[in-house]
Amino acid sequence: MPIKAVSTEQAPAAIGPYSQAIAAGETLYISGQLPIDPATGSFAGDSIAAQTHQSLKNIQAILAANGMDLSSVVKTTVLMQDIAEFDKMNEIYATYFTAPYPTRAAFQVAALPKGAKVEIEAVAIK
């Protein structure tokens, strides 16, 4: 099965030796998206709400670069700096997806790159 890198300037560039996303057949694997606004190169804000919005906007942009949208997402992983902010993150997250909702894992980690409050990765299928 051929694989290809998928990228867009509408999402932040990778900050290491990885791709924004890899398409493998009909499946798109999107790397964890930090809440970086690609227009400014900075976090979209300090709150978990603002950062969750931006991470999901970055995922939307990468999906669009591969001719997909959020309805194609089947799995996400949400990494959080503080699980106590789960409800606030979840409130924003819920505005981006409709039933049938993607499967999801969400957990607290010791630290995220650049001091982010959230990082979200996704898997989508055409």
Side-chain angles (χ1 to χ4, degrees):
M1 162 182 359
I3 65 169
K4 70 171 185 167
V6 174
S7 65
T8 176
E9 292 182 2
Q10 302 305 308
I15 58 173
Y18 61 90
S19 299
Q20 280 181 338
I22 291 288
E26 298 294 309
T27 305
L28 184 67
Y29 299 90
I30 301 174
S31 292
Q33 293 300 300
L34 293 172
I36 296 172
D37 180 338
T40 65
S42 299
F43 286 155
D46 293 329
S47 72
I48 189 71
Q51 291 194 12
T52 301
H53 272 298
Q54 188 62 54
S55 290
L56 290 166
K57 288 177 186 178
N58 294 342
I59 287 172
Q60 283 180 306
I62 295 166
L63 288 164
N66 199 52
M68 302 165 93
D69 60 30
L70 287 170
S71 69
S72 301
V73 175
V74 296
K75 169 80 170 93
T76 64
T77 304
V78 180
L79 310 173
M80 300 178 63
Q81 180 185 61
D82 183 357
I83 200 69
E85 293 191 297
F86 177 84
D87 289 343
K88 292 176 189 171
M89 176 283 299
N90 202 47
E91 183 179 326
I92 302 306
Y93 181 98
T95 67
Y96 283 82
F97 294 100
T98 58
Y101 300 104
T103 63
R104 179 179 77 186
F107 48 92
Q108 179 173 312
V109 296
L112 289 168
K114 299 185 175 270
K117 291 181 179 272
V118 67
E119 180 176 4
I120 304 173
E121 68 176 12
V123 177
I125 299 176
K126 277 192 179 181

